Amino acid sequence: MSDLLGSIWWMIVALGVLVTFHEFGHYWVARRCGVKVLRFSVGFGKPLWSRRDRHGTEFALAAIPLGGYVKMLDEAEGEVPASQREQAFNRKSVWQRIAVVAAGPLANIVLCVALLWAMFVIGKQDYSATVGSVSGIAADAGFQRGDRILRVGDRTIDTWTDASIALTKAAIDGADLPVEVETANGGTATRTLPLSRLPVGFDQENAVALSGLVWRHWVTPAIVGKVAPGSAADGVLRAGDIVTAVDGQPVHGFGDIAAQVDALGKRGGMAMVEVDRAGERLAFELAPRLTPLPDGAKGHYWALGLAAPEKTRLPEYDATLHYGPLAAVPAALRETGKLTSDSLGMIRRMLTGDASLKNVSGPITIAQVANVSAKRGLDWFLWFLAAMSLSLAIINLLPIPVLDGGHLLYYLIELVKGSPLSERHMVAGQYVGLAALAGLMGLAFYNDILRLMTRLVT
């Protein structure tokens, strides 16, 4: 229930910030072009609060916090007194109308840069693109545990987030690309990852894992969190012990312990467990015990009775992106460029059929991501807001009637044609735009519900 309420709350906060800035862009430019603004509303429906300024604009906070709008004086929406006709939106030049309409998406782009600047000044906590384990085509390509990815193709990699995005894009394209890494011993190497070998119809959301790469921070450290009372390790191992080997086999993650101990138990052997206890190297001989599977599942497995710690983040694998106020400006611009390129690239791939339409997310997924981002800290929530602000700008600039991009398309046609489109053509375009928007929203909701059902089943 707390996650549900959190998702709803942070979704409302995000929409409130993004929509307010978007509509303020329209409002600010409209006023400077001499257009009379009748209402600036954050939210829809009945106003919960409102006030008028000296120019006669009503500022309102409405009951349904899922958007907003700016209402301008316009002869297309009703009769305008003769004394105010020069302030009507439709009476302005085509370039002024273009400026007013484009100002909303532009405000979201400016907000994106500002949010990323704030994030870099605060410092974004992330993980380095260090490999924890390899298998499949990644192992065939020569990747090894401890490799830290430096470049994917021509893209410089700073964090695992960068690497995941770059590798996913390459996987969708079916590209075999060079990946430059810093090896565990400090050297550098270039390995070619043959992503064209991924099976047809692979799950694009898990492309990196399917390639055989597992990030180091996904691997639970082999640190003993607690020892089960009455288990084989009870009274021998302690919470905080770092398991380094089992029966002479090195242990790199907590999952290695279970696999090796179970294999020993099935052979009827003893487990020689080597640990690091506060810097002291110790070894204990333990006999694995047959243990029922958890959660009421049928069956047994051989175990020592160890549980991983709840918090397993390793500082040595962190990659904090932090800049001073001046250096954060170009960093924010570069990050905005990356996000723009990634977003447009994904739209292009979906239009060409290369990327699955399952990548389209709706309000349910967005609300969940908002909640998760807020929990991770202010830095991640700022990144989420920046990405959402940029997405809002890009979507609004698509040439779909009813969106800002559709209106801009009308005005560009008017520039070329020398006169506005006929009302009949504009109305037809609005119907097409509404149908396209309804289809997109339906697809987004379908994907959201499918994800929820998949999680419930699994």
Side-chain angles (χ1 to χ4, degrees):
M1 181 60 72
S2 60
D3 280 341
L4 174 61
L5 294 177
S7 297
I8 294 172
W9 167 250
W10 290 114
M11 180 70 164
I12 291 172
V13 170
L15 282 176
V17 172
L18 302 182
V19 170
T20 299
F21 270 83
H22 181 91
E23 299 304 332
F24 180 78
H26 291 311
Y27 165 81
W28 190 83
V29 174
R31 286 288 301 272
R32 273 138 194 84
C33 289
V35 178
K36 183 176 179 61
V37 179
L38 302 177
R39 175 180 287 179
F40 184 127
S41 178
V42 177
F44 296 104
K46 184 179 179 181
L48 301 175
W49 170 91
S50 67
R51 64 173 289 273
R52 291 186 183 275
D53 67 5
R54 60 189 179 87
H55 301 288
T57 302
E58 179 189 8
F59 293 87
L61 186 63
I64 305 174
L66 298 177
Y69 62 93
V70 168
K71 184 177 181 181
M72 305 174 202
L73 191 67
D74 194 326
E75 290 177 298
E77 297 185 7
E79 188 175 348
V80 175
S83 61
Q84 296 183 355
R85 284 174 186 164
E86 290 304 313
Q87 294 179 281
F89 176 75
N90 63 289
R91 291 288 181 120
K92 299 302 176 181
S93 71
V94 65
W95 286 111
Q96 287 178 311
R97 281 178 276 145
I98 287 174
V100 172
V101 172
L106 182 60
N108 281 124
I109 295 173
V110 172
L111 177 61
C112 173
V113 175
L115 290 168
L116 291 173
W117 175 86
M119 179 196 75
F120 283 130
V121 170
I122 293 170
K124 183 191 178 191
Q125 299 292 320
D126 209 328
Y127 291 102
S128 68
T130 303
V131 177
S133 66
V134 293
S135 60
I137 63 175
D140 295 342
F143 284 87
Q144 299 176 8
R145 186 192 310 269
D147 282 350
R148 183 169 69 87
I149 296 178
L150 304 176
R151 293 182 68 85
V152 173
D154 58 357
R155 179 167 177 161
T156 301
I157 302 301
D158 296 315
T159 67
W160 78 276
T161 306
D162 288 338
S164 297
I165 292 172
L167 291 171
T168 299
K169 286 166 57 180
I172 292 172
D173 294 338
D176 298 341
L177 77 168
V179 179
E180 183 182 346
V181 303
E182 180 184 331
T183 61
N185 61 13
T188 58
T190 298
R191 316 191 195 285
T192 299
L193 187 62
L195 293 170
S196 61
R197 288 173 50 189
L198 287 173
V200 176
F202 68 92
D203 182 0
Q204 295 178 358
E205 293 183 352
N206 294 308
V208 177
L210 291 173
S211 73
L213 290 175
V214 175
W215 300 119
R216 177 61 183 85
H217 66 276
W218 287 355
V219 179
T220 304
I223 302 172
V224 178
K226 60 181 179 180
V227 180
S231 65
D234 187 21
V236 182
L237 300 185
R238 304 175 186 173
D241 286 347
I242 302 173
V243 180
T244 57
V246 174
D247 196 34
Q249 296 297 315
V251 169
H252 301 285
F254 203 87
D256 295 343
I257 302 173
Q260 293 176 23
V261 169
D262 187 56
L264 279 172
K266 289 176 180 176
R267 294 199 303 266
M270 298 288 287
M272 181 61 72
V273 181
E274 299 174 41
V275 302
D276 182 322
R277 179 176 292 170
E280 184 180 3
R281 303 302 294 268
L282 303 171
F284 303 96
E285 193 173 48
L286 299 171
R289 296 180 184 175
L290 204 57
T291 307
L293 289 170
D295 301 324
K298 293 182 179 180
H300 295 76
Y301 68 106
W302 294 92
L304 299 177
L306 306 179
E310 293 183 3
K311 296 183 179 180
T312 56
R313 183 167 185 144
L314 297 178
E316 60 265 33
Y317 291 101
D318 284 352
T320 301
L321 302 176
H322 183 262
Y323 300 93
L326 292 179
V329 175
L333 291 171
R334 286 195 302 270
E335 187 69 12
T336 301
K338 278 185 182 180
L339 289 173
T340 302
S341 175
D342 293 338
S343 298
L344 293 177
M346 186 57 71
I347 291 173
R348 175 183 60 79
R349 290 176 176 86
M350 284 192 285
L351 290 175
T352 58
D354 294 326
S356 170
L357 293 178
K358 292 180 180 179
N359 291 299
V360 178
S361 297
I364 298 174
T365 298
I366 293 170
Q368 291 173 335
V369 174
N371 187 43
V372 171
S373 301
K375 284 184 176 180
R376 291 190 68 171
L378 179 59
D379 52 343
W380 275 91
F381 191 63
L382 289 173
W383 186 90
F384 165 77
L385 284 178
M388 285 296 298
S389 188
L390 184 63
S391 296
L392 184 60
I394 292 173
I395 290 172
N396 266 282
L397 287 173
L398 294 177
I400 300 175
V402 311
L403 296 179
D404 291 334
H407 293 295
L408 290 174
L409 178 62
Y410 287 158
Y411 300 146
L412 290 176
I413 293 174
E414 181 179 341
L415 278 174
V416 174
K417 185 170 173 280
S419 61
L421 278 175
S422 67
E423 186 175 343
R424 181 170 63 87
H425 285 101
M426 292 183 70
V427 170
Q430 298 292 332
Y431 281 122
V432 171
L434 285 171
L437 208 55
L440 186 62
M441 290 177 64
L443 175 64
F445 272 110
Y446 172 78
N447 287 341
D448 279 357
I449 293 170
L450 193 62
R451 289 188 187 100
L452 281 176
M453 294 303 296
T454 302
R455 289 170 188 166
L456 287 174
V457 171
T458 56

